[in-house]
Amino acid sequence: MMTMKVMVRMEMVVMMMMMMMIDDVKDDDFDSYDEDDDGGGGEEGNDVVNGNEAGLESEKEKGNEAGEEQGGENENAAGEGGQDNENALGDGKPGPGQAVGSQGEEEDGAGSNQGDKVKEDDANQQKEDVADVNRESEMKKETAVDGNNGGKVDDHQGGEPKQDHANMGSQNVPGQGNMEQEGGNEHRNEVEEVDSNHGGEINEDNAEDQNENSGLGANNQVAKGHVGEIKDNEQNIDNGNIKGGEIKDTGLQVEENNQVGGGGEIHQGNEPNLDHLQQVEDQQDRQGTPLTEDQQRRLEALARAKENRENNEKAVAINGESGQQSPPADVKTAPGKVDTGHSGSGGIDDAQKTHINEGGAGDQNIQDPSQIELNRADNSPNAGETERGTVVQQSHLVIKNEENTLEGEEHLSGDKNEEKLFVDEEHQSEDKIGDMNAGPQAKTEASNVNQGWTPLEKSQKTEGGEVNSKVFIAPQQHSGENEQTQNLNAVHNDEPLHAGMNSAENVHVNLEQNNINHGEVHPHELVQGSEGVVKVDTEVKSHNLPANSANLEQNAINNVNGEVHRHELDQANEDGEMVDGEVKDQDLPVNAVKDISPQCMVAEAKLIDCHPEAGATQQSCETRGCCWRETTANLKSPQQTDEHDLTEGDTSRSNGPPSCYYSADFPSYVKDKTRQTPFGETAYLMRDDQSPYPNDVQLLQLDVFFETENRVHFKIYDPKVTRYEVPIEVPNVAQRSAEPNYSVEYTTRPFGISVIRKSTHTVLFNSTVGPLIFADQFLQITSTLASPYIYGLGEHRGRFLHDINWSKFAFWTRDHQPEEHANLYGSHPFYLSVEKDGKAHGVFLLNSNAMDVILQPAPYLTWRTIGGVLDFYVFLGPTPDEVIQQYTEVIGRPFMPPYWGLGFHLCRWGYDTLAGTRAVTERMRQAKIPQDVQWNDNDYSIDLKGFTLNTTTFGGIKEFIEDLHANGQHYIHIVDPGISNAETPGTYEPYDLGKKMDVFIKMNGLELVGQVWTNQTVFPDFTAPQTQEWWTSLFTQWHQRVPFDGLWIDMNEPVNFLNGSWTGCPDNKYENPPYTPDVVGGKLNAETICASASQHASLHYNVHSLYGLSEMNATHRTITSITPEKRPFIISRSTYPSSGRYGGHWLGDNHSLWKDLYYSIPGILTFNLFGIPLVGADICGFHFNASEPLCQRWHQLGAFYPFSRNHNSLNYEGTDYKCKDQDPTAFSPEMQDSTRKALLLRYSLLPYLYTLFHKSHVNGSTVARPLFFEFPNDPQALAVDRQFLWGPALLITPVLEEGQVEVTGYFTNHSWYDYFTGERLPETGKHINLLTPMDKINLHIQGGYVIPGQFPSTTTVASRQNKFTLTVALCAKGLADGDLYWDDGESMGTFERGDYLYVEFNANTNSLVSRILHAAYNGKERDNLDLGFVRVFSVPVRPTTVTANGKEAKFEYTDQKVLQISDLQLSLLQPIDIQWR
């Protein structure tokens, strides 16, 4: 046998110091260890460790039972032999924290003399005795050295005798004097005194409140036979999990491939030995030399530790007596089940009973929650409900492994074999228990939580049901408060969540109270999505890890014996690349917090705000029953850092972690029995305690609808009182999906709900991490996020990928110029998330009340709304575009725009007269720049009043519109909803008729009067049925005077130039709710109408954000009534989910700035997520004057907006200075040429764009989409928002910065071609610099696609009379395909009626063929349906002949390997066959 280096834990050091001070223990009592003597540490030690070696045949599935053929007496076997386990030290080695099993009877000289007692006055004799205390040693109250390992000093236990756990017999714990035996000769390793960060000394910073904290060295179990030594303030990290990186300045040094258990060494830290320190300090004291502050604090810490030991009567009893014990008569046991009972009682008595299914991971589930026993004692935590079993909590824990005993020889019940841990309440310190399970990784089929044990964190489940239950905290013995109900957690760190287990009921090791977790650094929650735990294989910076001793949750490092784990390590670098390694400082907690209760020990990244109102103080916080501590300032998330960092920052307000936060045991709801329904499941939720907000709803109902295989819907509401719910049309599903791709699981007390993807076990939604609050005007629920890649949550301005570092988004529609940190025109509480394996999901909260959404780096997302119900939909994709398809299936598919609506639009406020309008139209025609639609702002009206026409300045407008129609163009004008009520009765029909029909919003029974453009303004209530009739009547008359083709509805948030009304607003709970979200202006009525105003559907408080949607709906109905044969075209500023059914959106009153040019791309991409694909920004900017270079680049980008419009303001912002014209003809000929080129390119691609809109209308796909939609597994694509795609095939890379003639674009590792030349990019999968002169925008086509196009003209009507073109880009395999949807471009319901043409194209290296899928539309003598030109990219060899439908065709072949076939006349109504040889 080998000699093992002794590691001393903190308690031992403290005791040894006290012993040395009275000269009872001499240094020569311990044999020193020769550094070079590691011959037994490598090979021979490995034989002991490896359950598959040294003649031991251990089954992999019973990897916790090393040496099973040797009697099975060792409960703590060496690691799962060879299992794929991050906690394992490679094949057959124990994971961090796993002790080495005894070799039993077959090991010479290592017999277990379990009965020996090591007494304090026998220090010199320990060397002979300890080796025999290998399995069942008993420590008396006065014992300084634990028989467990021959050197474990437990100064926290008050000296109470304890039974040694059988498995601890050969366990080597740094800081616990390991005694080993070789060939019958006993050896005692030197007991070394180390710094608190490395083995035992109480860290000076933590000594006052945590005098018992174990340091880095404490309780780190080193596999038997593997030499370790402490040196130079460094500690090797084993298992190869950290390679090449290092942990600086925190006492940890990473050495590549240097594994503890494999010859790795652990050397002593730089801090002086405590005995030497004591001698120095004593000498200084004798000489009168003042002690340093550091020395004084150390001596004070030692004194406190001694006093603690003397006063602490609590004990740790470690299971260990061999031999099988029968369960008590009242405990039902069976193989693979877990029984729990009171310590020492041998039974369960009044506590719960839980039965856990036996078998391997994930084998059996409890399908009927009603069969789970929940016999909860008073004032004790309830059990969590799970499909796999019931998590119960009771006084002490008893765990059995899969076989009920180890090898059928040992049974743990509750007597000597039961392990107990008690908490010192005064100092909130605790001792490490060793291993409570029957083996350090003993498998149980579900969580095991003791009733009465203080839970410190929400729980997570493991995929396989394996529980690493090392640390449990006993009730605080002197507390008069009820024990709380959260689950203590244990995690099997290498496996993802399992759909058959409840995410909140499967325990993982809780490090919230300075527990040392056997060699792993774990935050209190490690499982994220399907990834479980991420191995750290890169550098961990010194500033990233805590400086103090024991607890990751309290700025300390758990004894690193192999793995550094964080809840989420993958971040995006500047290119969106996942970085699997560096731990950022904002992800770790603040410095050690003194005088903090265990329930308040929450990692900073996971703090949930308990005082979101301004002005939180410690007193106001604690009055709410919440926790208080000062937190760090907000830091920028690494995923958002890039070279284009804009000083204005990101989308949301971001103020950092809260100082007032919910404790781990804050009261929440309790769920009763789950009942099955035809649509899914239902249950009641109840609470007894009060939240910090008035009028809690004490009884809630949860309905879960398994609607489709990829969509689950759950709603939490008041079953007794009808509350406001959003009145939009959604699917009504009465029957559950037979085979959903998700599972839904719950916790009971506190209530939580989880949605899990079955295929990968990724948790998509998990609300167990924070309390559910459901008061009348404050509803809050927090969920985990599967990854930090979150998109959506609008309308806000910022980057496309959201920053999860304490970002807050307010939702309350508001007229506010687009800027960062502001709630804008629309409200869309929907997000899309890309999981770490590239799959995607979406979450939608159907709630229209004012709300905040908070992202935090845990990562969590908190929904906080002030009314309505919690009505959630989760969409499983799994592709990003499929998520949007599923979302629009709920909110409604986007409308099909008329073909002309995809042309170029031109507008400004400030044409002043019809002559000014006509002049710009004529200039565009003369310049031959494409334009389809001419717009007018309010210039046409009288005093800016709706439905009025200034015939002086706009006389002859009807004739002007007729001229537009004759030229193939169209006309749109603006309409605002506000109506003047200050006109002479009988002179203003809109108000007179509206008053008669009672269509205006009321306040206290009277019309609410505000101010918009006119001095006194009233507001139509579009939720009232009679308003539809009034609106249609007005527009019917108006259309006869002004025959518009579409309508632009603006100012519909709604806007009010006053706060509320002319008479103000009542002082009531709606104007001044208990909590007001972080809205611009700080009040709900800021620049809008009173929240307590009355509408037909509800109070304005509830329906404010629906105002734009309700007006869109009414306007859509109105236009279809006026021109029923034609599709409506509506552009609205304010939107809400389902607005895309009725029209499009522009991004509001932007500025003529380069940053606004960039921000338009994230805005367009985000609204495509919201089911509003017809979206664009004001080209060249609305406010200010655009420079020519900016406007030139903006027209190039705007040519690829789905909705392409140039628009600018009347006056320079804040002045009377009139803004310049910014239509293309207002600039130089070079600028005009550039714009003409860009717009003709757009028009040539309209058949492809129109086909994309058809797919959006039919199945909800996006039109403009981010790069990751096509390449979700490419991490660098996840943050790209300076490029975007049209559909899957065309990639646009614009210039976005002033003065650039070269731009960098990212190209995924696929075939990409320059759209103009057909040249294939030589390298992909990287960033490429592209030359981009002022007259060019970069456009690339992805290999594998066929793009339909058309020879362009200056209008869409003219273009449709030209021949079609096809661009074929072959992929690396020489294949490509595409399709074309075509109809008359303007009639309602063409697809629904079947009046359309649909053609599919397929190509390879020598042919192109078409297949007609539907041919009911033949052009009706208005369209040219002939194919006239084809070009094929990447034809490898110049053809000698080309034939088209059997006839020889004209062709060219370029140096870029492009085949161009021209002068074709092939009808798309017939199959096409083009061959080249």
Side-chain angles (χ1 to χ4, degrees):
M1 291 292 294
M2 57 158 283
T3 301
M4 190 75 177
K5 178 71 177 177
V6 174
M7 300 294 292
V8 183
R9 65 180 297 173
M10 182 183 66
E11 294 89 350
M12 181 173 184
V13 173
V14 174
M15 286 303 304
M16 293 303 301
M17 284 300 304
M18 291 190 288
M19 296 168 67
M20 286 186 283
M21 285 190 287
I22 59 175
D23 293 327
D24 286 342
V25 179
K26 305 294 185 182
D27 287 344
D28 56 3
D29 287 335
F30 304 99
D31 292 339
S32 63
Y33 169 69
D34 185 353
E35 276 192 17
D36 296 328
D37 183 18
D38 58 353
E43 297 177 5
E44 187 170 351
N46 280 338
D47 289 343
V48 177
V49 173
N50 193 341
N52 293 332
E53 299 179 14
L56 303 180
E57 297 294 330
S58 129
E59 297 177 23
K60 289 186 178 182
E61 61 269 29
K62 298 188 179 79
N64 287 333
E65 303 169 332
E68 69 179 59
E69 293 183 1
Q70 303 180 27
E73 296 183 19
N74 178 14
E75 289 184 323
N76 216 1
E80 302 216 13
Q83 76 169 17
D84 183 13
N85 182 354
E86 288 183 2
N87 286 338
L89 293 174
D91 292 338
K93 300 183 180 70
Q98 289 178 326
V100 182
S102 169
Q103 296 299 305
E105 297 175 358
E106 295 186 15
E107 182 177 0
D108 279 346
S112 55
N113 186 7
Q114 290 100 344
D116 292 352
K117 299 181 179 179
V118 182
K119 300 185 178 180
E120 182 177 12
D121 56 358
D122 259 344
N124 291 330
Q125 193 62 33
Q126 291 178 30
K127 180 167 66 177
E128 288 81 9
D129 293 340
V130 166
D132 292 334
V133 188
N134 200 18
R135 295 192 54 81
E136 284 187 47
S137 296
E138 208 175 27
M139 187 182 75
K140 288 192 173 183
K141 182 173 183 178
E142 65 273 17
T143 303
V145 179
D146 190 346
N148 175 14
N149 286 323
K152 178 176 179 180
V153 179
D154 195 323
D155 65 343
H156 185 63
Q157 305 305 319
E160 181 178 338
K162 64 178 180 180
Q163 289 293 329
D164 187 15
H165 197 306
N167 70 312
M168 301 298 286
S170 58
Q171 201 174 32
N172 295 319
V173 182
Q176 293 184 0
N178 295 323
M179 310 303 172
E180 300 221 353
Q181 196 169 14
E182 182 174 358
N185 297 322
E186 297 99 1
H187 298 272
R188 179 179 312 282
N189 295 330
E190 176 182 348
V191 176
E192 307 224 54
E193 299 161 352
V194 296
D195 177 45
S196 63
N197 281 341
H198 301 284
E201 177 181 339
I202 301 172
N203 188 288
E204 58 184 348
D205 293 329
N206 286 339
E208 182 177 6
D209 293 289
Q210 298 165 357
N211 54 67
E212 299 290 330
N213 287 0
S214 296
L216 272 175
N219 294 306
N220 187 15
Q221 300 178 359
V222 180
K224 181 176 181 179
H226 295 280
V227 179
E229 112 182 358
I230 301 176
K231 73 172 183 180
D232 297 335
N233 200 27
E234 298 171 355
Q235 177 169 333
N236 297 308
I237 300 181
D238 69 337
N239 206 19
N241 287 327
I242 301 182
K243 298 180 180 180
E246 62 184 26
I247 304 176
K248 301 176 182 178
D249 303 333
T250 57
L252 295 175
Q253 176 67 42
V254 182
E255 297 179 5
E256 184 166 355
N257 294 323
N258 194 5
Q259 301 182 358
V260 177
E265 297 181 341
I266 304 177
H267 300 277
Q268 183 168 349
N270 294 328
E271 292 286 349
N273 289 337
L274 293 181
D275 57 343
H276 176 68
L277 175 66
Q278 184 70 55
Q279 294 170 6
V280 171
E281 293 167 342
D282 290 344
Q283 182 178 3
Q284 287 178 311
D285 185 59
R286 288 192 299 270
Q287 296 174 353
T289 305
L291 294 177
T292 67
E293 182 180 356
D294 178 81
Q295 293 168 337
Q296 183 64 41
R297 292 176 66 185
R298 290 173 184 266
L299 288 177
E300 291 172 357
L302 290 174
R304 283 194 298 271
K306 180 178 179 181
E307 180 181 357
N308 265 357
R309 171 168 172 75
E310 294 170 353
N311 295 334
N312 188 356
E313 296 301 324
K314 303 172 184 178
V316 171
I318 300 178
N319 300 318
E321 185 171 325
S322 61
Q324 178 160 344
Q325 302 211 8
S326 301
D330 61 339
V331 178
K332 300 176 182 179
T333 61
K337 298 186 177 181
V338 176
D339 297 335
T340 57
H342 290 287
S343 175
S345 68
I348 293 181
D349 298 331
D350 60 333
Q352 303 104 319
K353 295 177 284 186
T354 179
H355 301 303
I356 309 301
N357 294 328
E358 64 176 334
D363 287 338
Q364 299 184 24
N365 298 329
I366 297 176
Q367 299 297 337
D368 184 1
S370 64
Q371 298 177 2
I372 300 174
E373 296 182 78
L374 294 174
N375 301 320
R376 180 168 52 88
D378 291 339
N379 297 329
S380 62
N382 197 358
E385 178 181 321
T386 173
E387 292 180 2
R388 301 187 59 80
T390 302
V391 180
V392 295
Q393 303 179 358
Q394 52 190 46
S395 304
H396 299 92
L397 176 68
V398 182
I399 299 179
K400 295 181 294 181
N401 72 345
E402 293 172 325
E403 299 296 334
N404 199 27
T405 64
L406 288 174
E407 294 300 309
E409 294 196 12
E410 293 190 4
H411 168 70
L412 308 180
S413 61
D415 194 8
K416 288 191 286 186
N417 293 352
E418 186 173 349
E419 187 167 339
K420 295 174 286 186
L421 174 68
F422 299 96
V423 178
D424 183 335
E425 276 190 287
E426 179 181 356
H427 301 287
Q428 289 134 17
S429 60
E430 68 191 55
D431 190 15
K432 173 70 184 61
I433 324 176
D435 285 330
M436 293 192 64
N437 46 353
Q441 300 287 343
K443 294 183 180 179
T444 66
E445 281 304 311
S447 318
N448 302 282
V449 182
N450 295 29
Q451 174 145 320
W453 293 86
T454 303
L456 297 182
E457 181 51 277
K458 305 292 184 186
S459 57
Q460 289 287 355
K461 64 181 178 182
T462 64
E463 174 184 4
E466 297 177 325
V467 178
N468 184 1
S469 50
K470 298 185 177 71
V471 181
F472 293 83
I473 312 304
Q476 299 181 359
Q477 299 299 308
H478 306 292
S479 173
E481 298 178 357
N482 294 343
E483 294 302 319
Q484 302 301 326
T485 61
Q486 293 165 296
N487 297 312
L488 198 63
N489 304 323
V491 74
H492 189 71
N493 294 311
D494 64 321
E495 297 188 7
L497 302 179
H498 191 284
M501 299 185 66
N502 189 288
S503 62
E505 296 164 338
N506 294 276
V507 294
H508 70 79
V509 174
N510 192 317
L511 303 177
E512 304 259 330
Q513 202 168 355
N514 304 324
N515 295 314
I516 303 300
N517 188 24
H518 290 273
E520 298 167 355
V521 176
H522 288 181
H524 65 279
E525 178 197 331
L526 290 172
V527 180
Q528 290 294 331
S530 63
E531 296 301 316
V533 173
V534 181
K535 291 184 180 179
V536 178
D537 59 6
T538 188
E539 185 174 19
V540 181
K541 303 287 187 182
S542 60
H543 66 278
N544 298 331
L545 295 177
N548 295 327
S549 58
N551 186 345
L552 186 65
E553 297 291 6
Q554 207 164 351
N555 224 12
I557 299 173
N558 279 276
N559 203 5
V560 178
N561 187 23
E563 298 175 2
V564 177
H565 293 289
R566 226 191 66 197
H567 65 276
E568 186 276 310
L569 289 170
D570 293 337
Q571 296 288 350
N573 66 7
E574 63 184 23
D575 298 313
E577 179 178 3
M578 292 229 186
V579 179
D580 188 12
E582 186 171 359
V583 182
K584 302 295 182 182
D585 52 0
Q586 70 266 28
D587 297 314
L588 297 177
V590 295
N591 290 335
V593 179
K594 297 182 178 182
D595 302 323
I596 188 170
S597 67
Q599 292 80 8
C600 292
M601 289 182 176
V602 181
E604 183 173 282
K606 302 186 177 187
L607 303 180
I608 300 173
D609 198 346
C610 185
H611 202 306
E613 305 84 4
T617 65
Q618 182 170 357
Q619 180 178 0
S620 65
C621 175
E622 293 175 349
T623 299
R624 297 183 174 205
C626 298
C627 302
W628 176 271
R629 75 170 184 241
E630 297 296 335
T631 53
T632 60
N634 179 46
L635 298 172
K636 186 174 179 61
S637 172
Q639 72 189 37
Q640 291 290 3
T641 303
D642 64 28
E643 60 183 307
H644 305 291
D645 189 16
L646 302 177
T647 57
E648 287 75 12
D650 294 299
T651 301
S652 61
R653 298 177 187 270
S654 186
N655 299 317
S659 293
C660 182
Y661 58 94
Y662 289 105
S663 63
D665 58 355
F666 193 88
S668 185
Y669 286 85
V670 178
K671 185 182 73 66
D672 78 340
K673 177 180 176 181
T674 302
R675 295 172 293 280
Q676 302 301 307
T677 66
F679 54 76
E681 297 173 342
T682 189
Y684 288 114
L685 314 177
M686 296 155 287
R687 73 174 301 145
D688 298 325
D689 300 299
Q690 295 296 316
S691 76
Y693 298 93
N695 302 316
D696 283 300
V697 179
Q698 300 293 326
L699 176 67
L700 297 173
Q701 183 163 339
L702 166 71
D703 288 341
V704 182
F705 304 81
F706 302 150
E707 295 193 341
T708 71
E709 62 181 7
N710 288 311
R711 183 178 82 229
V712 61
H713 172 204
F714 62 91
K715 182 166 68 172
I716 301 172
Y717 60 98
D718 186 340
K720 294 182 178 180
V721 178
T722 300
R723 294 175 61 85
Y724 164 77
E725 297 187 29
V726 181
I728 67 171
E729 183 181 348
V730 295
N732 185 14
V733 179
Q735 186 173 358
R736 69 164 66 198
S737 172
E739 297 182 357
N741 292 323
Y742 50 82
S743 62
V744 179
E745 301 174 357
Y746 318 95
T747 53
T748 296
R749 184 184 185 99
F751 162 73
I753 182 170
S754 299
V755 178
I756 302 161
R757 187 187 299 279
K758 283 183 177 179
S759 63
T760 61
H761 316 306
T762 301
V763 177
L764 309 182
F765 188 101
N766 173 13
S767 72
T768 64
V769 295
L772 169 65
I773 308 295
F774 200 118
D776 181 41
Q777 291 182 271
F778 190 94
L779 292 75
Q780 178 170 296
I781 189 169
T782 299
S783 170
T784 58
L785 294 171
S787 87
Y789 297 99
I790 305 299
Y791 312 85
L793 298 175
E795 181 176 7
H796 302 92
R797 172 161 154 171
R799 293 182 171 92
F800 184 51
L801 171 62
H802 288 311
D803 185 353
I804 64 165
N805 192 46
W806 303 108
S807 294
K808 183 190 290 184
F809 305 86
F811 295 76
W812 181 252
T813 59
R814 168 67 190 253
D815 172 23
H816 191 77
Q817 296 174 10
E819 64 179 7
E820 298 72 34
H821 317 308
N823 52 298
L824 299 179
Y825 313 105
S827 178
H828 295 269
F830 165 82
Y831 72 82
L832 178 142
S833 176
V834 179
E835 300 152 34
K836 294 181 181 179
D837 59 1
K839 291 182 173 60
H841 69 275
V843 176
F844 170 43
L845 173 57
L846 182 54
N847 183 294
S848 62
N849 289 89
M851 73 173 73
D852 284 332
V853 169
I854 299 92
L855 297 175
Q856 61 190 85
Y860 294 164
L861 183 148
T862 295
W863 304 89
R864 182 188 300 146
T865 183
I866 61 172
V869 300
L870 297 176
D871 195 357
F872 284 99
Y873 290 82
V874 180
F875 311 97
L876 270 73
T879 70
D881 200 61
E882 286 172 330
V883 171
I884 307 307
Q885 294 176 32
Q886 293 155 13
Y887 176 47
T888 56
E889 186 177 15
V890 170
I891 64 172
R893 303 294 195 201
F895 85 112
M896 185 66 183
Y899 196 81
W900 57 262
L902 303 183
F904 180 65
H905 301 244
L906 188 57
C907 182
R908 78 155 295 174
W909 183 13
Y911 289 138
D912 296 333
T913 65
L914 181 60
T917 307
R918 182 181 286 113
V920 71
T921 304
E922 289 297 328
R923 293 200 305 265
M924 292 290 287
R925 291 176 184 174
Q926 291 297 320
K928 298 187 183 305
I929 297 175
Q931 180 193 0
D932 256 77
V933 190
Q934 181 61 53
W935 295 46
N936 274 126
D937 207 311
N938 276 320
D939 299 317
Y940 70 88
S941 65
I942 301 172
D943 298 329
L944 303 179
K945 291 182 293 188
F947 301 98
T948 63
L949 179 64
N950 189 331
T951 57
T952 301
T953 56
F954 271 80
I957 190 172
K958 187 173 184 179
E959 291 75 18
F960 170 69
I961 296 173
E962 289 173 351
D963 177 69
L964 290 175
H965 291 167
N967 196 59
Q969 295 174 300
H970 297 78
Y971 179 78
I972 293 175
H973 66 77
I974 195 170
V975 176
D976 296 334
I979 299 296
S980 172
N981 76 334
E983 310 305 314
T984 302
T987 64
Y988 187 46
E989 180 70 8
Y991 178 72
D992 292 338
L993 181 62
K995 183 176 180 63
K996 180 180 178 180
M997 298 181 68
D998 191 24
V999 303
F1000 301 116
I1001 295 175
K1002 301 284 195 304
M1003 171 63 71
N1004 298 326
L1006 302 176
E1007 293 173 357
L1008 184 147
V1009 181
Q1011 179 184 357
V1012 187
W1013 300 119
T1014 60
N1015 194 42
Q1016 291 182 235
T1017 305
V1018 292
F1019 302 87
D1021 177 7
F1022 290 105
T1023 70
Q1026 67 271 23
T1027 305
Q1028 179 67 65
E1029 181 182 353
W1030 169 79
W1031 196 243
T1032 300
S1033 175
L1034 293 179
F1035 273 111
T1036 300
Q1037 298 176 51
W1038 178 254
H1039 190 263
Q1040 294 173 4
R1041 301 181 66 189
V1042 183
F1044 57 84
D1045 299 295
L1047 288 172
W1048 169 22
I1049 54 177
D1050 193 8
M1051 311 290 282
N1052 55 352
E1053 290 72 30
V1055 175
N1056 184 3
F1057 295 166
L1058 304 174
N1059 290 339
S1061 75
W1062 274 104
T1063 58
C1065 298
D1067 183 8
N1068 59 32
K1069 67 178 185 179
Y1070 301 112
E1071 306 300 333
N1072 302 291
Y1075 173 75
T1076 299
D1078 196 15
V1079 299
V1080 173
K1083 299 279 288 184
L1084 297 183
N1085 58 33
E1087 295 191 17
T1088 189
I1089 64 176
C1090 297
S1092 49
S1094 299
Q1095 295 189 234
H1096 174 79
S1098 185
L1099 291 177
H1100 192 73
Y1101 178 89
N1102 294 318
V1103 299
H1104 166 86
S1105 291
L1106 301 181
Y1107 196 87
L1109 169 63
S1110 62
E1111 186 189 14
M1112 288 183 78
N1113 188 356
T1115 305
H1116 188 275
R1117 293 172 183 268
T1118 291
I1119 295 179
T1120 56
S1121 174
I1122 296 170
T1123 55
E1125 74 284 358
K1126 294 184 179 181
R1127 299 173 201 164
F1129 186 90
I1130 302 167
I1131 296 295
S1132 175
R1133 192 168 70 175
S1134 184
T1135 59
Y1136 185 82
S1138 79
S1139 290
R1141 297 175 61 180
Y1142 309 111
H1145 172 67
W1146 95 102
L1147 297 175
D1149 298 341
N1150 59 358
H1151 292 78
S1152 298
L1153 299 172
W1154 286 93
K1155 69 168 186 175
D1156 290 61
L1157 175 66
Y1158 156 67
Y1159 276 129
S1160 69
I1161 298 177
I1164 287 165
L1165 296 177
T1166 297
F1167 269 86
N1168 270 264
L1169 303 187
F1170 297 156
I1172 307 177
L1174 188 70
V1175 59
D1178 283 346
I1179 294 173
C1180 299
F1182 179 72
H1183 290 294
F1184 305 157
N1185 287 325
S1187 67
E1188 180 166 314
L1190 172 61
C1191 204
Q1192 184 171 353
R1193 290 301 194 189
W1194 211 322
H1195 275 103
Q1196 293 168 357
L1197 174 58
F1200 289 92
Y1201 290 164
F1203 168 55
S1204 180
R1205 183 186 72 163
N1206 178 318
H1207 177 51
N1208 69 316
S1209 181
L1210 173 64
N1211 295 327
Y1212 203 85
E1213 187 176 25
T1215 73
D1216 293 330
Y1217 175 72
K1218 186 172 182 178
C1219 290
K1220 299 188 301 185
D1221 287 341
Q1222 65 182 30
D1223 63 271
T1225 65
F1227 296 97
S1228 70
E1230 292 77 15
M1231 154 59 165
Q1232 295 179 43
D1233 290 342
S1234 172
T1235 301
R1236 181 187 306 109
K1237 180 180 176 181
L1239 291 176
L1240 286 173
L1241 174 60
R1242 175 189 180 88
Y1243 276 58
S1244 73
L1245 292 168
L1246 286 184
Y1248 174 67
L1249 182 62
Y1250 192 62
T1251 301
L1252 293 176
F1253 269 99
H1254 163 73
K1255 294 178 179 179
S1256 179
H1257 174 62
V1258 172
N1259 60 34
S1261 293
T1262 54
V1263 173
R1265 62 187 64 166
L1267 193 60
F1268 75 78
F1269 262 50
E1270 298 303 314
F1271 310 101
N1273 289 302
D1274 186 336
Q1276 295 206 58
L1278 294 174
V1280 172
D1281 63 0
R1282 303 175 75 86
Q1283 301 168 272
F1284 63 100
L1285 291 162
W1286 265 12
L1290 292 180
L1291 179 61
I1292 298 98
T1293 308
V1295 169
L1296 300 174
E1297 296 182 17
E1298 186 173 10
Q1300 282 190 339
V1301 291
E1302 184 175 340
V1303 65
T1304 300
Y1306 178 70
F1307 293 85
T1308 59
N1309 192 21
H1310 295 79
S1311 300
W1312 291 98
Y1313 300 87
D1314 186 305
Y1315 184 81
F1316 305 106
T1317 67
E1319 182 178 3
R1320 182 173 178 175
L1321 295 183
E1323 294 181 275
T1324 54
K1326 60 185 294 185
H1327 288 82
I1328 299 175
N1329 291 331
L1330 305 169
L1331 291 177
T1332 315
M1334 285 299 298
D1335 65 342
K1336 178 183 178 181
I1337 184 171
N1338 298 290
L1339 181 64
H1340 292 82
I1341 180 172
Q1342 184 187 172
Y1345 289 94
V1346 177
I1347 301 296
Q1350 202 167 35
F1351 289 108
S1353 292
T1354 57
T1355 67
T1356 56
V1357 171
S1359 294
R1360 289 174 67 97
Q1361 297 171 10
N1362 298 333
K1363 290 183 179 180
F1364 282 85
T1365 67
L1366 292 176
T1367 299
V1368 180
L1370 298 175
C1371 68
K1373 296 181 180 180
L1375 302 173
D1377 58 61
D1379 50 7
L1380 170 69
Y1381 172 85
W1382 201 251
D1383 58 20
D1384 68 13
E1386 65 177 8
S1387 296
M1388 286 284 289
T1390 52
F1391 175 74
E1392 290 76 11
R1393 293 196 312 270
D1395 190 9
Y1396 63 92
L1397 171 67
Y1398 206 99
V1399 184
E1400 182 179 81
F1401 306 99
N1402 300 99
N1404 56 36
T1405 55
N1406 57 20
S1407 69
L1408 168 66
V1409 298
S1410 72
R1411 186 161 64 101
I1412 300 169
L1413 303 180
H1414 193 86
Y1417 178 73
N1418 60 11
K1420 297 182 180 179
E1421 300 180 355
R1422 57 184 291 176
D1423 294 342
N1424 188 334
L1425 294 180
D1426 288 345
L1427 176 64
F1429 179 79
V1430 173
R1431 56 181 184 158
V1432 184
F1433 297 166
S1434 198
V1435 175
V1437 180
R1438 177 184 179 88
T1440 57
T1441 61
V1442 176
T1443 61
N1445 286 357
K1447 296 181 180 180
E1448 191 169 322
K1450 180 181 177 180
F1451 73 93
E1452 294 179 3
Y1453 185 77
T1454 72
D1455 293 340
Q1456 288 78 29
K1457 299 184 178 181
V1458 177
L1459 173 64
Q1460 297 180 347
I1461 308 168
S1462 58
D1463 295 341
L1464 297 172
Q1465 193 165 346
L1466 305 174
S1467 173
L1468 292 173
L1469 296 172
Q1470 302 296 326
I1472 295 172
D1473 186 356
I1474 300 175
Q1475 303 284 333
W1476 54 91
R1477 295 285 186 268

